[in-house]
Amino acid sequence: MNYNQNHKISQITSETLIVGVDIAKHNHVASHAKVGSTPRGSVFIYPAESQQ
């Protein structure tokens, strides 16, 4: 299906869980929040694995 951006945004409800991930060179960080709230306090930090 071909959805436009407004249709995708309209699918977000108060029950939607948003997960944010920051991919970095040395450490990755992830957190989660419900729509309309601040991050839930649990921030996950984990090291980036070397690709040697």
Side-chain angles (χ1 to χ4, degrees), residues 2-29:
N2 187 10
Y3 295 109
N4 62 30
Q5 187 173 6
N6 289 333
H7 186 268
K8 289 180 184 180
I9 291 171
S10 70
Q11 293 174 324
I12 298 173
T13 68
S14 62
E15 296 299 314
T16 303
L17 179 66
I18 297 175
V19 177
V21 179
D22 180 11
I23 305 298
K25 186 173 185 177
H26 300 289
N27 290 314
H28 304 316
V29 180

Side-chain angles (χ1 to χ4, degrees), residues 1 10-11 13 28 31 33 42 44 48-49:
M1 297 180 132
S10 70
Q11 293 174 324
T13 68
H28 304 316
S31 65
S42 297
F44 305 97
E49 293 186 16

Side-chain angles (χ1 to χ4, degrees), residues 32-48:
H32 63 283
K34 287 290 226 175
V35 173
S37 69
T38 58
R40 301 288 247 177
S42 297
V43 176
F44 305 97
I45 301 173
Y46 47 99

